[in-house]
Amino acid sequence: MLEPDVVPCCPPLTERTLTAAEAERTAAMFKALSDPVRLRLFSAVASAPGGEACVCDISDVGVSQPTVSHHLKKLKEAGLLASERRGTWVYYRVEPSVLAGMGRLLTGPARV
Amino acid sequence: MLEPDVVPCCPPLTERTLTAAEAERTAAMFKALSDPVRLRLFSAVASAPGGEACVCDISDVGVSQPTVSHHLKKLKEAGLLASERRGTWVYYRVEPSVLAGMGRLLTGPARV
DNA sequence: CATCTATGTTGACACACATCGAACCAACGC
DNA sequence: GCGTTGGTTCGATGTGTGTCAACATAGATG
């Protein structure tokens, strides 16, 4: 059976025409991943062991460090990442349920 | 004149850090869906019977008709939609493989 | 405790791109 | 011809991106 509590936002795109409000929320999530730098940062965090990574480990994406910080902030505002300071370093980790929800938007109900 | 590849673009975001080229291609697809109007248009086409819809059936999204045309063009350029003229009307339909590919990016290997 | 250094974040600004609509154009059916 | 459907061009406005500088926090060092 499917887990019904991991549906944060909207029905699959193939189910029906989204309402304006649904489209707004869904577009905001896609927008967070619509930048190459953010995608690289996100995949770096998502693929890191333990699902979390220090900023110092992932900031080699071709832009300056403040720019990295700006992009990480956008990913955090979109609810895709969470940050935590431990001592000198700041660690980011993914929010798995949001990722699953977005996947369901595209592929329809889970086919587990 | 350019025809977008339908081959699998990139590994899942959780597998490893994307390369710059992979991130560019992936970001372009997400960007196409990062606009509320485009999402509504896309979901309208994707949910239409037969997977295709006439522009006249889906152009009620709150913006002018030229704007609808603009957004449909972007979705087409991103490889998410294909268009075909049949007599008076132009029909749009989805590219299912691209949708599945994007879902795989988010959720990992397919669970079919 | 005071100070210095390393790590990240925030603010301000320039630059580029995206978005939108008015007007115009092309294809089709009558 | 004429009306309808949909696409294109163009310009104005808005939004995003990136860098520099300044600031905040944690740890080390004397």
Side-chain angles (χ1 to χ4, degrees):
Chain A
M1 187 51 191
L2 323 176
E3 57 287 0
D5 58 328
V6 196
V7 182
C9 171
C10 304
L13 297 180
T14 55
E15 188 173 303
R16 58 172 171 78
T17 303
L18 297 181
T19 68
E22 288 169 341
E24 287 282 348
R25 285 178 296 184
T26 308
M29 296 191 297
F30 281 115
K31 186 179 282 184
L33 293 179
S34 69
D35 181 89
V37 173
R38 282 197 292 273
L39 267 178
R40 295 192 73 192
L41 290 171
F42 184 83
S43 61
V45 174
S47 62
E52 72 174 14
C54 167
V55 176
C56 55
D57 292 329
I58 61 176
S59 54
D60 186 20
V61 291
V63 292
S64 68
Q65 196 275 333
T67 303
V68 169
S69 191
H70 278 134
H71 284 300
L72 287 173
K73 186 179 182 182
K74 289 204 172 187
L75 287 168
K76 200 163 99 172
E77 287 171 351
L80 277 76
L81 291 180
S83 69
E84 179 193 0
R85 177 159 213 154
R86 286 208 294 274
T88 305
W89 296 278
V90 177
Y91 289 82
Y92 279 83
R93 72 184 134 73
V94 301
E95 295 286 354
S97 63
V98 179
L99 210 57
M102 288 185 71
R104 193 159 315 160
L105 276 170
L106 296 169
T107 60
R111 299 151 298 179
V112 181
Chain B
M1 211 62 68
L2 44 104
E3 44 188 9
D5 286 343
V6 193
V7 295
C9 163
C10 304
L13 297 181
T14 54
E15 187 174 304
R16 57 172 171 78
T17 303
L18 297 181
T19 67
E22 288 169 342
E24 287 283 347
R25 298 172 60 184
T26 308
M29 295 191 298
F30 280 115
K31 190 172 223 169
L33 293 178
S34 70
D35 181 271
V37 173
R38 282 199 291 273
L39 266 178
R40 293 192 74 192
L41 290 171
F42 185 83
S43 61
V45 173
S47 63
E52 72 174 15
C54 166
V55 177
C56 56
D57 292 328
I58 61 176
S59 54
D60 187 20
V61 290
V63 294
S64 69
Q65 187 272 331
T67 302
V68 169
S69 194
H70 277 142
H71 285 301
L72 287 173
K73 185 179 181 181
K74 292 211 168 189
L75 287 168
K76 202 163 97 174
E77 286 171 351
L80 291 160
L81 291 180
S83 68
E84 179 192 359
R85 178 157 213 153
R86 288 208 294 273
T88 305
W89 295 279
V90 176
Y91 289 83
Y92 279 81
R93 71 184 139 73
V94 300
E95 295 286 355
S97 62
V98 179
L99 209 56
M102 290 185 71
R104 202 151 30 229
L105 275 170
L106 296 169
T107 59
R111 301 155 296 172
V112 180

